[in-house]
Amino acid sequence: MRNRRNIAAGLLIAVCGLLCACGEQKTEDPGKNYIGVAYYNQSDTFLNELLDSFREQLKELQGEGAETVVMVRDAAGSQRTQDDQVKELISAGCDVLCVNLVDRADPSEIIDMARENDVPIIFFNREPVAEDLMQWDGLYYVGAEAEESGAMQGELAADLIRTDSQVDRNKDGKIQYVILEGEVGHQDAIIRTETVVETLTSQGIELEKLSYQVANWNRAQAENRMEQLIGQYHNQIELVLANNDDMALGAIDAYKSLNYTESALPVFFGIDGTDAGLQAVKDSELAGTVYNDKEGQAGAMARISVALLTGEGMDEIEFQNERCVYLPYDKVTKGNVSEFLFRSR
Ligand code: GAL
Ligand code: CA
C-alpha cells in the first residue's frame, strides 16, 4: 500500500499546480496518513456522535504528533453521490476508508473501486450482506446485532408494564401500542420492530397494535407522524416503541406541542442512548433506552484503521466471521443512566 501511495503522491505533486488552481482536489502529503469517511446522512444524530468519538479515539490511539487526516463526506441519502465521494476520496490518496452505506444492498461499485486501488474498507453501522463482504479480504464490518436491541427494548417495556399498573390506562388488560420505524429496508428497523413485539409477547404481555409509522430515524418526522397518530387514536395510545431515540423524542415533542398533561401520556422507549436520549431518561421523559455502543464501535473502527495503516495490531482485534466486529447493547433506565452519561462524555 505504501508503494502505491508514494507513486500516487508523486503524481499528485506533479500535477499540483493544475489541481490546486482548480481547488477541487486535495494534494496528498506523503508524510501524512489519510482516512476517508463516507456516511449516509449528516442529519443522523447517532452517527454524528459516533464519528466524534471516532476522531477522538483515533487521536488517543496514535498519540501526540500523529499525522492522520480524517476526510468526512456526507452522501445526503444518495448512493450515487456516495459512489462519487468514495472515488474522490481514493484519488485524494486515502489509505483506509470507513463507509456507512446509503443502500446496504448496493456496495458493488464501492467495493470494485477499493479493490482496484487496494484501499481497504471498514463498513460500519449499515451492514452489507455477507456475500458482498466476502468479495475481498480488504473488507471489514463494525456494528451491532439488531436483534439484541429489539429484545432488550422488549424486556425493558415488559418490566415496566408488570411493575406499573398505570401503564394500562384503560385497564383492559392489554397494552395499546404504536411503533415508530426507521428507514424501510434497514436491518435495524426491520429486526428491532420484529423482536420487540416478539419479546413482549413471549413475556406474557397482551398487546394490541394500533398502528405504525415510518419516520426514517428522524426527530422532526417522528413528531409529525405522532401528531397524526394522536389525531387518530387520541388517549388510546399507552405505549410508544421507537426504533431509535430521536424518533422517541420526536413523539414526546408531539405530545408536548399538543399540551398533553403528564397523566395522559403513554410511556416511550427508544434505542441508541444518544446524548439527548440519555438526558430524557434522566429526566423521566423516556422510560428507557438501549445503549448502542458508539464508543465501542468507534473504538473498533479506530483500531482496525490504525492496524491497516501501520501493519500492526490486527491480530489483537477479535473478529467474528473473520472480519466483523459486533459490539453488545445495554439496557438503560433511570437507575443506571449516570453510567452511560459518563461514558458518552
Ligand atoms: C441505527 C441507529 C439509528 C440510525 C441508524 C442509521 O443503528 O440506531 O439511530 O443512526 O443506525 O443507519
Ligand atoms: Ca390498555
Side-chain angles (χ1 to χ4, degrees):
M1 215 193 319
R2 195 152 287 277
N3 270 345
R4 180 195 59 73
R5 213 179 63 213
N6 287 342
I7 295 166
L11 284 174
L12 280 170
I13 288 163
V15 291
C16 174
L18 179 68
L19 292 174
C20 293
C22 304
E24 281 174 352
Q25 200 110 27
K26 288 220 157 71
T27 306
E28 188 186 6
D29 174 343
K32 286 185 180 162
N33 292 312
Y34 289 78
I35 299 179
V37 177
Y39 73 137
Y40 88 105
N41 205 326
Q42 67 165 358
S43 68
D44 191 290
T45 309
F46 171 74
L47 285 170
N48 285 330
E49 292 179 10
L50 185 152
L51 289 181
D52 285 346
S53 173
F54 173 68
R55 284 194 200 86
E56 255 173 53
Q57 294 195 61
L58 195 67
K59 234 188 270 165
E60 277 164 27
L61 262 182
Q62 297 194 305
E64 282 302 308
E67 297 271 2
T68 299
V69 179
V70 179
M71 297 165 75
V72 180
R73 296 291 178 270
D74 155 35
S78 154
Q79 188 57 60
R80 281 197 53 189
T81 303
Q82 187 168 68
D83 294 349
D84 291 344
Q85 289 172 334
V86 167
K87 194 171 174 188
E88 178 235 334
L89 288 168
I90 291 175
S91 40
C94 285
D95 309 278
V96 175
L97 294 171
C98 295
V99 178
N100 170 246
L101 289 163
V102 177
D103 180 353
R104 58 185 284 259
D106 192 13
S108 347
E109 197 165 327
I110 289 180
I111 293 176
D112 290 348
M113 285 190 281
R115 183 163 41 186
E116 274 162 29
N117 292 281
D118 196 24
V119 181
I121 304 183
I122 304 162
F123 290 105
F124 64 102
N125 170 266
R126 299 157 79 96
E127 186 168 6
V129 295
E131 226 171 63
D132 285 326
L133 208 60
M134 289 302 153
Q135 279 189 39
W136 177 43
D137 62 8
L139 305 177
Y140 301 85
Y141 177 69
V142 174
E145 302 269 19
E147 208 175 322
E148 191 186 14
S149 54
M152 286 186 174
Q153 191 183 47
E155 286 162 16
L156 284 170
D159 285 349
L160 181 70
I161 293 163
R162 270 192 299 265
T163 51
D164 182 355
S165 61
Q166 299 300 315
V167 179
D168 180 14
R169 280 205 320 273
N170 68 352
K171 310 284 173 225
D172 67 347
K174 292 184 224 156
I175 303 300
Q176 281 71 27
Y177 75 99
V178 299
I179 295 207
L180 292 171
E181 294 200 328
E183 289 160 278
V184 173
H186 192 304
Q187 85 270 3
D188 289 348
I190 301 165
I191 298 172
R192 284 174 185 168
T193 294
E194 243 170 49
T195 30
V196 70
V197 173
E198 270 167 25
T199 307
L200 278 159
T201 311
S202 72
Q203 296 234 351
I205 306 293
E206 265 213 67
L207 293 173
E208 184 187 343
K209 177 173 176 175
L210 297 177
S211 188
Y212 77 94
Q213 290 282 336
V214 172
N216 296 309
W217 310 118
N218 183 281
R219 184 165 177 164
Q221 281 185 40
E223 177 177 359
N224 180 285
R225 304 288 180 277
M226 195 69 221
E227 278 179 10
Q228 292 170 18
L229 291 170
I230 298 168
Q232 201 173 346
Y233 297 102
H234 310 282
N235 291 342
Q236 289 174 57
I237 305 167
E238 295 173 338
L239 168 67
V240 177
L241 298 167
N243 284 169
N244 79 343
D245 284 356
D246 260 11
M247 295 190 292
L249 295 169
I252 296 171
D253 294 339
Y255 279 95
K256 280 188 182 161
S257 69
L258 294 169
N259 293 321
Y260 265 65
T261 56
E262 207 172 307
S263 61
L265 288 181
V267 290
F268 305 87
F269 288 91
I271 292 176
D272 275 345
T274 57
D275 295 346
L278 293 176
Q279 191 57 46
V281 173
K282 193 174 172 206
D283 297 341
S284 308
E285 290 189 327
L286 261 187
T289 187
V290 177
Y291 201 72
N292 192 357
D293 184 1
K294 54 185 179 292
E295 290 77 24
Q297 292 164 37
M301 287 161 61
R303 280 187 294 135
I304 299 171
S305 301
V306 171
L308 289 166
L309 291 174
T310 60
E312 278 167 32
M314 198 62 98
D315 25 321
E316 282 150 39
I317 300 169
E318 276 185 40
F319 288 103
Q320 280 168 265
N321 309 331
E322 293 168 56
R323 54 185 71 172
C324 301
V325 178
Y326 298 100
L327 275 295
Y329 285 96
D330 264 308
K331 291 187 227 176
V332 185
T333 58
K334 199 174 168 118
N336 67 351
V337 69
S338 55
E339 267 172 52
F340 294 89
L341 277 163
F342 176 73
R343 209 199 281 188
S344 71
R345 285 170 241 195

